[in-house]
Amino acid sequence: MQNGWAKSKIKTYEELEDYFSKQEKISGLKKEITNKLGIHRQLTAFEEEYVLKWTNEYGYNMNIIELALKRSVFKANAGFKYYDDVLTDWHAKGLTTPEQVEAHLASISEKKTRTKQVQNLAKQFEFTQSTFDSFDNLYDN
């Protein structure tokens, strides 16, 4: 089994320094995530893979990750799969800043509000469809 340096193909002092810097950043991020979630254990290997994906592949920092964590406040049994689904959706939509995420969430909320308003308005104008037994009687005026 290769260690982190060999796996990362580190050959120079600068690459090693960069590697340690990234590891320190990820370690701090994992600690911050566990604190925010009230997790009092180390993350599992699978949970760590999610964090690496969010930071390395998506380029997200704690500001955006925290927005995803906050979305789970009203979600029963939310876990890393849920957070990953949220962050993957944002990444697919090209959302890269907290401001873009907030605007996206506001637009979703606004759409839900408008949909409810239209549904309530439609209920006011409900009617029953008339049926005619004979079209001849329809034009008898």
Side-chain angles (χ1 to χ4, degrees), residues 73-114:
V73 170
F74 301 109
K75 183 91 171 152
N77 299 322
F80 276 78
K81 174 68 174 118
Y82 174 78
Y83 309 131
D84 184 59
D85 289 346
V86 170
L87 290 165
T88 299
D89 179 58
W90 294 348
H91 178 69
K93 287 181 169 71
L95 307 176
T96 58
T97 67
E99 294 78 20
Q100 290 172 331
V101 170
E102 292 287 357
H104 171 69
L105 296 175
S107 95
I108 289 173
S109 178
E110 185 179 318
K111 285 178 187 174
K112 285 181 182 178
T113 300
R114 279 189 272 139

Side-chain angles (χ1 to χ4, degrees), residues 15-141:
E15 290 171 344
L16 181 61
E17 216 171 60
D18 186 44
Y19 172 81
F20 278 133
S21 175
K22 285 180 183 177
Q23 291 304 310
E24 191 175 310
K25 177 183 168 190
I26 291 170
S27 178
L29 192 63
K30 289 189 293 189
K31 186 174 182 168
E32 201 169 343
I33 289 170
T34 57
N35 285 340
K36 297 274 182 191
L37 295 175
I39 297 174
H40 304 292
R41 59 169 173 76
Q42 286 202 345
L43 297 178
T44 66
F46 299 112
E47 292 168 338
E48 285 188 14
E49 283 180 27
Y50 283 129
V51 174
L52 291 174
K53 177 178 161 184
W54 304 336
T55 56
N56 295 342
E57 189 178 327
Y58 297 169
Y60 287 157
N61 59 24
M62 191 59 198
N63 294 333
I64 292 181
I65 293 171
E66 187 172 3
L67 291 173
L69 300 179
K70 284 180 181 178
R71 303 249 330 138
S72 71
V73 170
F74 301 109
K75 183 91 171 152
N77 299 322
F80 276 78
K81 174 68 174 118
Y82 174 78
Y83 309 131
D84 184 59
D85 289 346
V86 170
L87 290 165
T88 299
D89 179 58
W90 294 348
H91 178 69
K93 287 181 169 71
L95 307 176
T96 58
T97 67
E99 294 78 20
Q100 290 172 331
V101 170
E102 292 287 357
H104 171 69
L105 296 175
S107 95
I108 289 173
S109 178
E110 185 179 318
K111 285 178 187 174
K112 285 181 182 178
T113 300
R114 279 189 272 139
T115 300
K116 283 183 181 180
Q117 289 172 342
V118 168
Q119 288 172 341
N120 289 337
L121 191 60
K123 285 180 184 177
Q124 293 176 7
F125 295 103
E126 280 185 7
F127 64 95
T128 356
Q129 179 68 39
S130 297
T131 57
F132 297 99
D133 294 337
S134 167
F135 283 110
D136 294 334
N137 294 337
L138 180 64
Y139 295 106
D140 282 349
N141 284 334

